[in-house]
Amino acid sequence: MKPDTCKGKTILGAMLGLLCVLSAQAGEAPPDAFVMTVYSDLAHGSEILDGEFDAVVDKLADRSGRGSRDLVNQVNLCVAYTKTRQLEKATAACDSAIAISVKEARRLARTEPFGRRTTLIADTDRAIALTNRGVLYAIAGNHAKARVMFEMAMLLESKEKSASTNLAQLERRLASRDS
């Protein structure tokens, strides 16, 4: 699974790949929107990055309706719903992704030698799910819960950096609102 991140000109703007986010963190101007992550090589992620949100919603919602509770499907469905402004459904998909990621981390802890690589994979999946959920909280104006999601994601052993990008964006927005 290869996660990619996306950001937009506005909160729900156009998608952008992981390298753009990393370059913004490396010293370029900070992003002007929140960042969500998709798995680009699975669950129609490349279609999300191409802006085919409605088609992806149709395909993944159909899978979800047939009982598929796969983490990658739920993460990508969350982003696709967000991009089509179906925020209630996006919230449900994000919440499902978080629950699946926690359950999977527990399963890995019980069934395998929980080495560094396995920890990193499980934590990265949870960080992605938590960060995307944090973006939805931020969009809804629940800044305290958004901050908690971003901070929880940052505490995990993960290479995912969207949480810190989003927390910085949240702080900038709150600071400009208060000034």
Side-chain angles (χ1 to χ4, degrees), residues 104-105 108-109 112-124:
E104 182 64 9
L108 288 171
E112 298 180 17
F114 207 68
R116 178 161 165 57
R117 180 175 163 86
T118 307
T119 301
L120 184 62
I121 292 168
D123 281 358
T124 297

Side-chain angles (χ1 to χ4, degrees), residues 39-56:
Y39 290 92
S40 65
D41 58 344
L42 298 168
H44 306 284
S46 60
E47 293 172 59
I48 293 172
L49 294 175
D50 289 340
E52 300 172 23
F53 311 119
D54 290 318
V56 172

Side-chain angles (χ1 to χ4, degrees), residues 1-7 16-23 25 31 33-41 49 71 75-76 79 101 116-117 119-135 149-168:
M1 293 182 285
K2 177 182 149 196
D4 277 328
T5 55
C6 51
K7 71 173 189 172
L16 189 61
L18 178 60
L19 294 177
C20 295
V21 173
L22 294 177
S23 66
Q25 292 174 343
F34 293 101
V35 178
M36 295 187 87
T37 302
V38 300
Y39 290 92
S40 65
D41 58 344
L49 294 175
L71 172 76
V75 166
N76 285 3
V79 175
S101 69
R116 178 161 165 57
R117 180 175 163 86
T119 301
L120 184 62
I121 292 168
D123 281 358
T124 297
D125 287 341
R126 280 191 296 167
I128 289 168
L130 289 166
T131 300
N132 284 355
R133 184 61 176 101
V135 169
M149 292 288 119
F150 299 146
E151 289 173 348
M152 285 173 58
M154 290 168 54
L155 290 174
L156 296 169
E157 184 178 341
S158 169
K159 291 187 177 187
E160 179 60 36
K161 301 300 179 204
S162 299
S164 60
T165 301
N166 286 330
L167 183 57

